[in-house]
Structure formats: C-alpha cells, structure tokens
Amino acid sequence: MMSAIEAGKRGRSVSVLDHAEREGQKIRISGGGRCNFTNIHMAPEKYLSRNPHFCKSALSRFTPHDFIAMLEKYDIQYYEKEKGQLFCRKSSLEVLRMLREEAGKAGIAMRLKCKVTDVRKEDRFRVITNQGMFESDSLIVATGGLSFPDLGATGIGYHIAGHFGLRITSLSPGLVPFEYNRNDMKIFGALSGISLPVKVRCRDREFQGEMLFTHHGLSGPAILQASNYWMKGDILQIDLLPDSDAVEIFRARHGSRTEMYNLLAELFPRRFSRIWSDLHIRSKPLCQYTDKELIEIAGQLHNWEIRPQGTEGYQKAEVTVGGVDTDELSSKTMESRKVPGLYFAGEVLDVTGELGGYNLHWAWASGYVAGQYA
Ligand SMILES: Cc1cc2nc3c(=O)[nH]c(=O)nc-3n(C[C@H](O)[C@H](O)[C@H](O)COP(=O)(O)OP(=O)(O)OC[C@H]3O[C@@H](n4cnc5c(N)ncnc54)[C@H](O)[C@@H]3O)c2cc1C
C-alpha cells in the first residue's frame, strides 16, 4: 500500500492486487491490535541481512519522523511503550484507515480476493490471477514472507523472484517462540505462565528483556529476538539475573542459616526456584556452602543453558528471516538489477528487523522508496 500510494502520487496508474478479503491483515493484529508502527531508535544495526548496508538508503530516506508526520496529519494519537517502540493509542485500525485514505487520494485501485498465481514478462509484466490477467510496465512485489499463513502469507514473492532468476537466501521463521526438547518439556512445562527478566545469548548476539515460560517452551521479547539468530542444535545461554551479581548476593548472606532454595525463592517466583533448585543444586543452609560452591551456583544462574528442540515455526513466527537476496537489487530504488521494472519491498526481502516496530518500518521505508521509481 505504501509503494502504491507513492507511485500514485507521481501520477502512475496503480492497482494493488491482494488475495486477502481485507487489506493490511498484519497491520490489524500487529502490536496486539495497537500496531507498533515504528521505533525512534531506528538504525541499520537493528536489521539482519546478508548485506547489512542494503537497508541504509531506504531507512535514511523514510524515517520514523516521516511516518509520524503522516499519523499527525490524520490526528492519530500514539505513545512510546518502551525502548523507543511507538504504538497507536487507540487501535491499529487507525493506521489502516490512514493508508486507505491516502490510497484513495492517490487514485489507487484496490483489488481484494485477487490471488496472484504467476508472473511473466514479455514486453510488459503479465500478472496471472484468479481475476484474470493484469499488465503493467512496472511491478512491485510486496507479498511478505511465509509467517502467519492463516493471515494470507504465501511464498508467491519467492516464486516470482525465482522465475526471474533472482537468488533467495535461506529462509527460517523469526521472532518466534521456542519449543522444549522432550526432557525439558517434562521438567519446565509446569512453569507455564511465569515471566522473568533475563539476558539471552544466541551465537554472538545478546538480548535483554522478559522471558516467558509457555506450555511448550520459551517465549517473550528477549527469546523472540534471539530466535532470529538461532539455528537447529544451538544452545541458548540465559542469564537469569542480568542486573545483579549472584556471587555478591550469596556472599552477603553467607553466614545465614537460610536455605539456598529459600534465598532463590526471594529472587525468583517460588515455582521456578523449586524446579531450578531440584535440577541444579542440593539445597542446604547458606552457611554450609564453600565459596567455590557459591561461585558455581552463581555461574549456573548467570549462564543457564537450554537446547530447544525447535521453534513453533511459520504458524507462530512474526517474520521470515531471509528472502530475496539484496545483492540482486539496487538499494536506492529496490529495482532488480537483472529485470528492469521489477521491484521488491518489505518482508519478502532478505532484511529482517528486530522486535519493536522495525519490521513494519522496513515495509513503510522500502515501499516508499520503490514507489518513487516504479
Ligand atoms: C502477529 C504479528 C504481529 C506483528 N506485529 C508487528 C508489530 O507490532 N510491529 C512490526 O514492526 N512488525 C510486526 N509484525 C511484522 C509485520 O507485520 C510484517 O513484517 C509486515 O507486515 C511486512 O509487510 P509486507 O507488506 O512486506 O508484507 P505483509 O504485511 O505480509 O503483506 C503481504 C500481502 O501480500 C498478500 N499476498 C500474499 N500472497 C499473495 C498472493 N499469492 N496473491 C495476492 N496477494 C498475496 C497478503 O495477503 C498480504 O496482504 C507482526 C507480524 C505478525 C505475524
């Protein structure tokens, strides 16, 4: 919609083809219905891509302030929740209404329930759909990734790229909860509902925030962030006391007769302390531990290791990591280097944002840029 609006403003005759019954399905449900539409700490480092420089041009030409200016024109109230994340005060539907109105002003024809099955190019692009064939000089593929098929995600964007000989990087579900392996499931399944502030390390990346125990595994912002970097077989290293020094806490109480388990229950929810203690320590009064033992227990709290069996997959993933290889495109225009007139924007590209409004902002910014040239 963003690229259509920009192309329409330039006087291009534009049709948006979408197989969904309603446009912007992901906008509707995003941010729990309040749409975390951007982040004021926008930076290229917040994106994962084989080419970390690719996103720079679009992000510098369409900034969070540009999107905010659009919202303000429509009197849409917003607020910062945390970590620079901006949400609508009332509803994500307001963002959708704004885009719909902008599209109307730009003379865009919205064609819903229009499923694209194939694209060919002879002298012009020929887009084959269940509503017949559409022809155009330019084509912007903004069909998203594979995440949330229930909301209309399909792999058509990759199919189109492949048809024109463009490379696709390897794809995986991102911003997605983890599932326990069978053994951990038996032990930690009972912790469902508990949330802890943690720091999660995966490969060379580290994320601080909440971790939520679910029925099947781990979720919550810090875990979702780590999932973008996780590969099958990787261990997650979790610091359960990211803002404190467990050794210091233990040493301060070393002379006491308090049981270790009871001290842990002061630091964590009791249900968690019991299961964690049973698993990792033999609880006794603090005064009976040697300093070496205290250091060991502290080490385990700061570096709890868990090896998930997998993730909850595309059904529950907020994004798809990977996509159309950015080396195939101009970062200035989003146009294919091989196929003049063919543009890509949004999640279909190998540009994946962190949690916190970065993915929608990439959709706005790359769509804006493509719309300037298509
Ligand atoms: C539950 C959930 C919550 C999220 N919350 C946030 C958030 O708060 N903030 C944030 O930044 N990001 C969020 N995201 C991620 C964000 O929604 C996406 O990254 C973003 O919508 C991508 O935009 P896009 O235009 O590239 O693709 P999409 O929004 O996926 O749009 C692609 C469109 O293509 C259409 N389409 C697909 N295949 C075909 C076909 N064959 N024929 C015709 N049409 C087709 C689809 O119907 C869809 O309308 C969330 C994602 C999910 C799943």
Side-chain angles (χ1 to χ4, degrees), residues 58-131:
L59 294 179
S60 68
R61 281 184 290 154
F62 191 84
T63 68
H65 298 288
D66 292 318
F67 198 76
I68 290 168
M70 279 177 82
L71 294 182
E72 287 179 347
K73 221 167 72 184
Y74 283 81
D75 265 336
I76 299 173
Q77 308 282 310
Y78 59 89
Y79 69 103
E80 180 183 345
K81 195 172 173 192
E82 53 172 346
K83 297 179 179 170
Q85 303 170 8
L86 300 189
F87 285 76
C88 294
R89 199 163 278 289
K90 285 196 197 131
S91 159
S92 52
L93 294 179
E94 293 179 292
V95 170
L96 208 50
R97 209 157 35 237
M98 171 186 87
L99 292 173
R100 229 189 269 127
E101 272 191 43
E102 286 283 303
K105 282 188 213 158
I108 310 303
M110 281 297 302
R111 283 189 176 262
L112 296 171
K113 301 185 199 167
C114 181
K115 188 170 179 69
V116 175
T117 51
D118 221 339
V119 174
R120 296 279 170 254
K121 188 177 185 198
E122 285 158 31
D123 47 333
R124 306 179 81 204
F125 288 99
R126 299 208 163 134
V127 182
I128 292 107
T129 78
N130 60 345
Q131 294 184 18

Coordinates of all heavy atoms in Angstrom, one line a residue, residues 58-131:
A58 N 17.2 3.3 2.2 CA 15.8 3.5 2.4 C 15.5 4.0 3.8 O 14.6 4.9 3.9 CB 15.1 2.1 2.2
L59 N 16.2 3.5 4.8 CA 15.9 4.0 6.2 C 16.2 5.5 6.3 O 15.6 6.2 7.1 CB 16.7 3.2 7.2 CG 16.4 1.7 7.3 CD1 17.3 1.1 8.4 CD2 14.9 1.5 7.7
S60 N 17.2 6.0 5.5 CA 17.6 7.4 5.7 C 16.6 8.3 4.9 O 16.4 9.4 5.2 CB 19.0 7.6 5.2 OG 19.1 7.4 3.8
R61 N 15.9 7.7 3.9 CA 15.0 8.5 3.1 C 13.6 8.4 3.6 O 12.8 9.3 3.3 CB 15.1 8.1 1.6 CG 16.3 8.7 1.0 CD 16.4 8.4 -0.5 NE 16.6 7.0 -0.7 CZ 16.3 6.3 -1.8 NH1 15.6 7.0 -2.8 NH2 16.6 5.1 -2.0
F62 N 13.2 7.4 4.4 CA 11.9 7.4 5.1 C 12.2 7.0 6.5 O 12.4 5.9 6.9 CB 11.0 6.4 4.4 CG 9.6 6.6 4.9 CD1 8.7 7.6 4.3 CD2 9.1 5.8 5.9 CE1 7.4 7.7 4.8 CE2 7.8 6.0 6.4 CZ 7.0 7.0 5.8
T63 N 12.1 8.0 7.4 CA 12.5 7.9 8.8 C 11.2 7.7 9.7 O 10.1 8.0 9.2 CB 13.3 9.1 9.3 OG1 12.3 10.2 9.3 CG2 14.5 9.4 8.4
P64 N 11.4 7.3 10.9 CA 10.3 7.3 11.8 C 9.5 8.6 11.9 O 8.3 8.6 11.9 CB 10.9 7.0 13.2 CG 12.1 6.2 12.9 CD 12.6 6.8 11.6
H65 N 10.2 9.7 11.7 CA 9.6 11.0 11.8 C 8.7 11.2 10.6 O 7.6 11.9 10.7 CB 10.6 12.2 11.9 CG 11.4 12.0 13.2 ND1 10.8 12.3 14.4 CD2 12.6 11.6 13.4 CE1 11.7 12.0 15.4 NE2 12.8 11.5 14.8
D66 N 9.1 10.7 9.4 CA 8.2 10.8 8.2 C 6.9 10.0 8.5 O 5.8 10.5 8.1 CB 8.9 10.2 7.0 CG 10.1 11.0 6.6 OD1 10.0 12.3 6.6 OD2 11.2 10.5 6.3
F67 N 7.0 8.8 9.1 CA 5.7 8.1 9.4 C 4.9 8.8 10.4 O 3.7 9.0 10.3 CB 6.0 6.7 9.8 CG 4.8 5.8 9.7 CD1 4.4 5.3 8.4 CD2 4.0 5.4 10.8 CE1 3.3 4.5 8.3 CE2 2.9 4.6 10.6 CZ 2.5 4.2 9.4
I68 N 5.6 9.4 11.4 CA 4.9 10.1 12.5 C 4.1 11.3 11.9 O 3.0 11.6 12.2 CB 5.9 10.6 13.6 CG1 6.3 9.3 14.4 CG2 5.2 11.6 14.5 CD1 7.5 9.6 15.3
A69 N 4.8 12.0 10.9 CA 4.2 13.2 10.3 C 2.9 12.7 9.6 O 1.9 13.5 9.6 CB 5.2 13.8 9.3
M70 N 2.9 11.5 9.0 CA 1.7 11.0 8.3 C 0.6 10.9 9.3 O -0.6 11.3 9.2 CB 1.9 9.7 7.6 CG 2.6 9.7 6.3 SD 2.9 8.1 5.6 CE 1.4 7.6 4.9
L71 N 0.9 10.2 10.5 CA -0.1 10.0 11.5 C -0.6 11.3 12.0 O -1.8 11.4 12.3 CB 0.6 9.2 12.7 CG 1.1 7.8 12.5 CD1 1.6 7.2 13.8 CD2 0.0 6.9 12.0
E72 N 0.2 12.3 12.2 CA -0.2 13.5 12.8 C -1.2 14.2 11.9 O -2.1 14.9 12.3 CB 1.0 14.4 13.2 CG 1.7 13.8 14.4 CD 2.9 14.5 14.9 OE1 3.4 15.4 14.2 OE2 3.3 14.2 16.1
K73 N -0.9 14.1 10.6 CA -1.9 14.7 9.6 C -3.3 14.1 9.8 O -4.3 14.7 9.5 CB -1.4 14.3 8.2 CG -1.5 15.5 7.2 CD -0.7 15.2 5.9 CE -1.3 14.1 5.1 NZ -0.6 13.7 3.9
Y74 N -3.3 12.9 10.3 CA -4.6 12.2 10.5 C -5.1 12.2 11.9 O -6.0 11.5 12.3 CB -4.6 10.8 9.9 CG -4.7 10.7 8.4 CD1 -3.5 11.0 7.7 CD2 -5.9 10.5 7.8 CE1 -3.6 10.9 6.3 CE2 -5.9 10.4 6.4 CZ -4.8 10.7 5.6 OH -4.9 10.7 4.3
D75 N -4.4 13.0 12.7 CA -4.7 13.1 14.2 C -4.7 11.8 14.9 O -5.5 11.5 15.8 CB -6.1 13.7 14.3 CG -6.0 15.2 14.5 OD1 -5.0 15.7 15.0 OD2 -7.0 15.9 14.2
I76 N -3.8 10.9 14.5 CA -3.7 9.6 15.2 C -2.8 9.7 16.4 O -1.6 10.1 16.2 CB -3.2 8.5 14.2 CG1 -4.2 8.4 13.0 CG2 -3.1 7.2 14.9 CD1 -3.8 7.5 11.9
Q77 N -3.3 9.4 17.5 CA -2.6 9.5 18.8 C -1.7 8.3 18.9 O -2.1 7.2 18.6 CB -3.5 9.6 20.0 CG -4.6 10.6 19.9 CD -4.0 12.0 20.2 OE1 -3.4 12.1 21.2 NE2 -4.3 12.9 19.3
Y78 N -0.5 8.5 19.4 CA 0.5 7.4 19.6 C 1.3 7.6 20.9 O 1.2 8.7 21.5 CB 1.4 7.3 18.4 CG 2.2 8.5 18.2 CD1 3.5 8.7 18.8 CD2 1.7 9.5 17.4 CE1 4.2 9.8 18.6 CE2 2.5 10.7 17.2 CZ 3.7 10.8 17.8 OH 4.4 12.0 17.6
Y79 N 1.9 6.6 21.4 CA 2.7 6.7 22.6 C 3.9 5.8 22.5 O 3.9 4.8 21.7 CB 1.9 6.4 23.8 CG 1.5 5.0 24.0 CD1 2.2 4.1 24.9 CD2 0.5 4.4 23.2 CE1 1.8 2.8 25.0 CE2 0.1 3.1 23.3 CZ 0.8 2.3 24.2 OH 0.4 1.0 24.3
E80 N 5.0 6.1 23.3 CA 6.1 5.3 23.4 C 5.9 4.3 24.5 O 5.7 4.7 25.6 CB 7.4 6.1 23.6 CG 8.6 5.2 23.7 CD 9.9 5.9 24.0 OE1 10.0 7.1 23.9 OE2 10.9 5.2 24.4
K81 N 6.0 3.0 24.2 CA 5.8 2.0 25.2 C 7.1 1.8 26.0 O 7.1 2.1 27.2 CB 5.3 0.7 24.6 CG 4.7 -0.2 25.6 CD 4.0 -1.4 24.9 CE 3.6 -2.5 25.8 NZ 3.2 -3.7 25.1
E82 N 8.1 1.3 25.3 CA 9.4 1.1 25.9 C 10.4 1.0 24.8 O 10.0 0.6 23.7 CB 9.4 -0.1 26.8 CG 9.0 -1.4 26.2 CD 9.2 -2.6 27.0 OE1 9.9 -2.6 28.0 OE2 8.6 -3.6 26.6
K83 N 11.7 1.2 25.1 CA 12.7 1.0 24.1 C 12.4 1.6 22.8 O 12.7 1.0 21.7 CB 13.0 -0.5 23.9 CG 13.5 -1.1 25.2 CD 13.8 -2.6 25.0 CE 14.3 -3.3 26.3 NZ 14.3 -4.7 26.3
G84 N 11.8 2.8 22.8 CA 11.6 3.6 21.5 C 10.4 3.0 20.7 O 10.2 3.6 19.6
Q85 N 9.7 2.0 21.2 CA 8.6 1.4 20.4 C 7.4 2.3 20.4 O 6.8 2.6 21.5 CB 8.2 0.1 21.0 CG 9.4 -0.9 21.1 CD 9.0 -2.1 21.8 OE1 7.8 -2.4 22.2 NE2 10.0 -3.0 22.1
L86 N 6.9 2.8 19.2 CA 5.7 3.6 19.1 C 4.5 2.8 18.8 O 4.6 2.0 17.8 CB 6.0 4.7 18.1 CG 7.1 5.7 18.4 CD1 7.1 6.9 17.4 CD2 7.1 6.2 19.8
F87 N 3.4 3.0 19.5 CA 2.2 2.3 19.3 C 1.0 3.3 19.1 O 1.1 4.4 19.7 CB 1.8 1.4 20.6 CG 2.6 0.2 20.7 CD1 3.9 0.2 21.2 CD2 2.0 -1.1 20.5 CE1 4.6 -0.9 21.4 CE2 2.8 -2.2 20.7 CZ 4.1 -2.2 21.1
C88 N 0.0 2.9 18.4 CA -1.2 3.7 18.4 C -1.9 3.7 19.8 O -1.9 2.7 20.4 CB -2.3 3.1 17.4 SG -1.7 3.1 15.7
R89 N -2.4 4.9 20.2 CA -3.0 4.9 21.5 C -4.4 4.1 21.4 O -4.7 3.4 22.4 CB -3.3 6.4 21.9 CG -3.5 6.5 23.4 CD -3.3 7.9 23.9 NE -1.9 8.3 24.1 CZ -1.2 7.9 25.1 NH1 -1.6 7.0 26.0 NH2 0.1 8.3 25.3
K90 N -5.1 4.3 20.3 CA -6.4 3.6 20.2 C -6.3 2.3 19.5 O -6.5 1.3 20.2 CB -7.4 4.5 19.5 CG -7.8 5.7 20.3 CD -9.1 6.3 19.6 CE -9.3 7.7 20.2 NZ -9.6 8.7 19.1
S91 N -6.0 2.3 18.2 CA -6.1 1.0 17.5 C -5.3 1.0 16.2 O -5.1 2.0 15.6 CB -7.6 0.7 17.2 OG -7.7 -0.2 16.1
S92 N -4.8 -0.2 15.9 CA -4.1 -0.3 14.6 C -5.0 0.0 13.4 O -4.5 0.3 12.3 CB -3.5 -1.7 14.5 OG -4.5 -2.7 14.7
L93 N -6.3 -0.1 13.6 CA -7.2 0.2 12.5 C -7.0 1.6 12.0 O -7.3 1.9 10.9 CB -8.6 -0.1 12.9 CG -9.0 -1.5 13.2 CD1 -10.4 -1.7 13.7 CD2 -8.7 -2.4 12.0
E94 N -6.6 2.5 12.9 CA -6.4 3.9 12.5 C -5.3 4.0 11.5 O -5.4 4.8 10.5 CB -6.0 4.8 13.7 CG -7.1 4.9 14.8 CD -6.6 5.7 15.9 OE1 -5.8 5.2 16.7 OE2 -7.1 6.8 16.1
V95 N -4.2 3.2 11.6 CA -3.1 3.2 10.6 C -3.7 2.7 9.3 O -3.4 3.3 8.2 CB -2.0 2.3 11.1 CG1 -0.9 2.2 9.9 CG2 -1.3 2.9 12.3
L96 N -4.5 1.7 9.4 CA -5.1 1.1 8.1 C -6.0 2.2 7.5 O -6.0 2.3 6.2 CB -5.9 -0.1 8.6 CG -6.0 -1.2 7.5 CD1 -4.7 -1.6 6.9 CD2 -6.7 -2.4 8.2
R97 N -6.8 2.9 8.3 CA -7.7 3.9 7.7 C -6.9 5.0 7.0 O -7.2 5.4 5.9 CB -8.5 4.5 8.9 CG -9.9 4.9 8.4 CD -10.9 5.0 9.5 NE -10.4 5.4 10.8 CZ -10.6 4.7 11.9 NH1 -11.2 3.6 11.9 NH2 -10.1 5.2 13.1
M98 N -5.8 5.3 7.6 CA -4.9 6.4 7.1 C -4.4 5.9 5.7 O -4.5 6.7 4.7 CB -3.8 6.6 8.0 CG -2.7 7.5 7.4 SD -1.3 7.7 8.5 CE -0.3 6.3 8.0
L99 N -3.9 4.7 5.6 CA -3.3 4.2 4.4 C -4.4 4.1 3.3 O -4.2 4.4 2.1 CB -2.7 2.8 4.6 CG -1.4 2.8 5.5 CD1 -0.9 1.4 5.7 CD2 -0.3 3.6 4.8
R100 N -5.6 3.6 3.8 CA -6.7 3.5 2.8 C -7.1 4.9 2.2 O -7.3 5.1 1.0 CB -7.9 2.9 3.5 CG -8.5 1.8 2.7 CD -9.8 1.3 3.3 NE -9.7 0.2 4.3 CZ -10.2 0.3 5.5 NH1 -10.8 1.3 6.0 NH2 -10.0 -0.8 6.3
E101 N -7.1 5.9 3.1 CA -7.5 7.3 2.6 C -6.4 7.8 1.7 O -6.7 8.4 0.7 CB -7.7 8.2 3.8 CG -9.1 8.2 4.3 CD -9.4 9.3 5.4 OE1 -9.0 10.4 5.1 OE2 -10.1 9.0 6.4
E102 N -5.2 7.6 2.1 CA -4.0 8.0 1.2 C -4.1 7.3 -0.1 O -3.9 8.0 -1.1 CB -2.7 7.7 1.9 CG -2.4 8.6 3.1 CD -1.9 10.0 2.6 OE1 -0.9 10.1 1.9 OE2 -2.5 11.0 3.0
A103 N -4.4 6.1 -0.1 CA -4.5 5.3 -1.3 C -5.7 5.9 -2.2 O -5.5 6.0 -3.4 CB -4.8 3.8 -1.0
G104 N -6.8 6.2 -1.5 CA -7.9 6.8 -2.2 C -7.5 8.1 -2.9 O -7.8 8.3 -4.1
K105 N -6.8 8.9 -2.2 CA -6.4 10.3 -2.7 C -5.5 10.1 -3.9 O -5.5 10.9 -4.8 CB -5.7 11.1 -1.6 CG -6.7 11.7 -0.6 CD -5.8 12.6 0.3 CE -6.4 12.7 1.7 NZ -5.4 13.1 2.6
A106 N -4.7 9.0 -3.8 CA -3.7 8.8 -4.9 C -4.3 8.1 -6.1 O -3.6 7.7 -7.0 CB -2.5 8.1 -4.3
G107 N -5.6 7.7 -6.0 CA -6.3 7.1 -7.1 C -5.9 5.6 -7.3 O -5.9 5.1 -8.4
I108 N -5.6 5.0 -6.2 CA -5.2 3.5 -6.3 C -6.4 2.6 -6.4 O -7.4 2.8 -5.7 CB -4.4 3.1 -5.0 CG1 -3.3 4.1 -4.7 CG2 -3.9 1.7 -5.1 CD1 -2.3 4.3 -5.7
A109 N -6.4 1.7 -7.3 CA -7.4 0.7 -7.4 C -7.0 -0.5 -6.5 O -6.0 -1.1 -6.7 CB -7.6 0.2 -8.8
M110 N -7.8 -0.8 -5.4 CA -7.5 -1.9 -4.6 C -8.4 -3.1 -5.1 O -9.6 -3.0 -5.2 CB -8.0 -1.6 -3.1 CG -7.1 -0.8 -2.3 SD -5.5 -1.4 -1.9 CE -5.8 -3.0 -1.1
R111 N -7.7 -4.2 -5.4 CA -8.4 -5.4 -5.8 C -8.2 -6.5 -4.8 O -7.1 -7.0 -4.7 CB -7.9 -5.8 -7.2 CG -8.4 -5.0 -8.3 CD -8.1 -5.7 -9.6 NE -8.7 -4.9 -10.7 CZ -9.8 -5.2 -11.3 NH1 -10.5 -6.3 -10.9 NH2 -10.3 -4.5 -12.2
L112 N -9.2 -6.7 -4.0 CA -9.1 -7.8 -3.0 C -9.6 -9.1 -3.5 O -10.2 -9.1 -4.6 CB -9.8 -7.3 -1.7 CG -9.3 -6.1 -1.1 CD1 -10.2 -5.6 0.0 CD2 -7.9 -6.3 -0.5
K113 N -9.3 -10.2 -2.8 CA -9.6 -11.5 -3.2 C -9.1 -11.9 -4.6 O -9.6 -12.6 -5.4 CB -11.2 -11.8 -3.2 CG -11.8 -11.5 -1.9 CD -13.3 -11.9 -2.0 CE -14.1 -11.2 -0.8 NZ -15.5 -11.3 -1.0
C114 N -7.9 -11.2 -4.9 CA -7.3 -11.4 -6.2 C -6.0 -12.1 -6.0 O -5.0 -11.5 -5.6 CB -7.1 -10.0 -6.8 SG -6.3 -10.0 -8.4
K115 N -6.0 -13.4 -6.2 CA -4.9 -14.3 -5.9 C -3.9 -14.3 -7.1 O -4.3 -14.7 -8.2 CB -5.3 -15.7 -5.6 CG -4.2 -16.6 -5.1 CD -4.7 -17.9 -4.5 CE -3.6 -18.8 -4.0 NZ -3.0 -18.3 -2.8
V116 N -2.7 -13.9 -6.9 CA -1.6 -13.9 -7.9 C -1.1 -15.4 -7.9 O -0.7 -15.9 -6.9 CB -0.5 -12.9 -7.6 CG1 0.6 -13.1 -8.6 CG2 -1.1 -11.5 -7.6
T117 N -1.1 -16.0 -9.1 CA -0.5 -17.3 -9.2 C 0.8 -17.4 -10.0 O 1.6 -18.2 -9.8 CB -1.5 -18.3 -9.8 OG1 -2.0 -17.7 -11.1 CG2 -2.7 -18.5 -8.9
D118 N 1.0 -16.4 -10.9 CA 2.2 -16.4 -11.7 C 2.4 -15.0 -12.3 O 1.5 -14.2 -12.4 CB 2.0 -17.4 -12.8 CG 3.3 -18.2 -13.0 OD1 4.4 -17.7 -12.6 OD2 3.3 -19.3 -13.6
V119 N 3.7 -14.8 -12.7 CA 4.0 -13.5 -13.3 C 5.0 -13.9 -14.5 O 5.9 -14.7 -14.4 CB 4.8 -12.6 -12.4 CG1 5.3 -11.3 -13.1 CG2 3.9 -12.1 -11.2
R120 N 4.7 -13.3 -15.7 CA 5.6 -13.4 -16.8 C 6.0 -12.1 -17.3 O 5.3 -11.1 -17.0 CB 4.8 -14.1 -18.0 CG 4.3 -15.5 -17.6 CD 5.5 -16.5 -17.8 NE 5.2 -17.8 -17.3 CZ 5.6 -18.3 -16.1 NH1 6.5 -17.6 -15.4 NH2 5.3 -19.5 -15.7
K121 N 7.0 -12.0 -18.1 CA 7.4 -10.7 -18.7 C 7.7 -11.0 -20.2 O 8.5 -11.8 -20.5 CB 8.5 -10.1 -18.0 CG 8.8 -8.7 -18.6 CD 9.9 -7.9 -17.9 CE 9.8 -6.5 -18.5 NZ 11.1 -5.8 -18.2
E122 N 7.0 -10.3 -21.0 CA 7.4 -10.2 -22.4 C 7.8 -8.8 -22.6 O 8.7 -8.3 -22.1 CB 6.2 -10.7 -23.3 CG 6.1 -12.2 -23.2 CD 4.8 -12.8 -23.5 OE1 4.1 -12.3 -24.4 OE2 4.5 -13.9 -22.9
D123 N 7.0 -8.0 -23.4 CA 7.3 -6.6 -23.5 C 6.9 -5.9 -22.2 O 7.6 -5.0 -21.7 CB 6.6 -5.9 -24.7 CG 5.2 -6.3 -24.8 OD1 4.8 -7.4 -24.3 OD2 4.3 -5.5 -25.3
R124 N 5.8 -6.4 -21.5 CA 5.3 -5.8 -20.3 C 5.2 -7.0 -19.3 O 5.3 -8.2 -19.6 CB 4.0 -5.2 -20.4 CG 4.0 -4.1 -21.6 CD 2.6 -3.5 -21.7 NE 2.4 -2.5 -20.7 CZ 1.2 -2.1 -20.2 NH1 0.1 -2.7 -20.7 NH2 1.1 -1.2 -19.3
F125 N 5.0 -6.6 -18.0 CA 4.7 -7.7 -17.0 C 3.3 -8.2 -17.2 O 2.3 -7.4 -17.4 CB 4.9 -7.2 -15.6 CG 6.3 -6.9 -15.2 CD1 6.8 -5.6 -15.3 CD2 7.1 -7.9 -14.8 CE1 8.1 -5.4 -15.0 CE2 8.4 -7.7 -14.5 CZ 9.0 -6.4 -14.6
R126 N 3.1 -9.5 -17.1 CA 1.8 -10.1 -17.1 C 1.6 -10.8 -15.8 O 2.3 -11.8 -15.5 CB 1.7 -11.1 -18.3 CG 1.9 -10.4 -19.6 CD 1.2 -11.0 -20.7 NE 1.2 -10.0 -21.8 CZ 1.5 -10.2 -23.0 NH1 1.8 -11.4 -23.4 NH2 1.5 -9.3 -23.9
V127 N 0.6 -10.3 -15.0 CA 0.4 -10.9 -13.7 C -0.9 -11.8 -13.8 O -2.0 -11.3 -14.1 CB 0.2 -9.8 -12.6 CG1 0.0 -10.5 -11.2 CG2 1.4 -8.9 -12.6
I128 N -0.7 -13.1 -13.6 CA -1.9 -14.0 -13.7 C -2.5 -14.2 -12.4 O -1.9 -14.5 -11.4 CB -1.4 -15.4 -14.3 CG1 -0.9 -15.1 -15.7 CG2 -2.5 -16.4 -14.4 CD1 0.5 -15.2 -16.0
T129 N -3.8 -14.0 -12.3 CA -4.6 -14.1 -11.1 C -5.9 -14.8 -11.3 O -6.3 -15.1 -12.4 CB -4.9 -12.7 -10.5 OG1 -6.1 -12.2 -11.2 CG2 -3.8 -11.7 -10.6
N130 N -6.6 -15.1 -10.2 CA -7.9 -15.7 -10.3 C -9.0 -14.7 -10.9 O -10.1 -15.1 -11.1 CB -8.4 -16.3 -9.0 CG -8.5 -15.2 -7.9 OD1 -7.9 -14.1 -8.1 ND2 -9.1 -15.5 -6.8
Q131 N -8.6 -13.4 -11.0 CA -9.5 -12.5 -11.6 C -9.0 -12.0 -13.0 O -9.3 -11.0 -13.4 CB -9.6 -11.2 -10.7 CG -10.2 -11.5 -9.3 CD -10.4 -10.3 -8.5 OE1 -10.3 -9.1 -8.9 NE2 -10.6 -10.5 -7.2

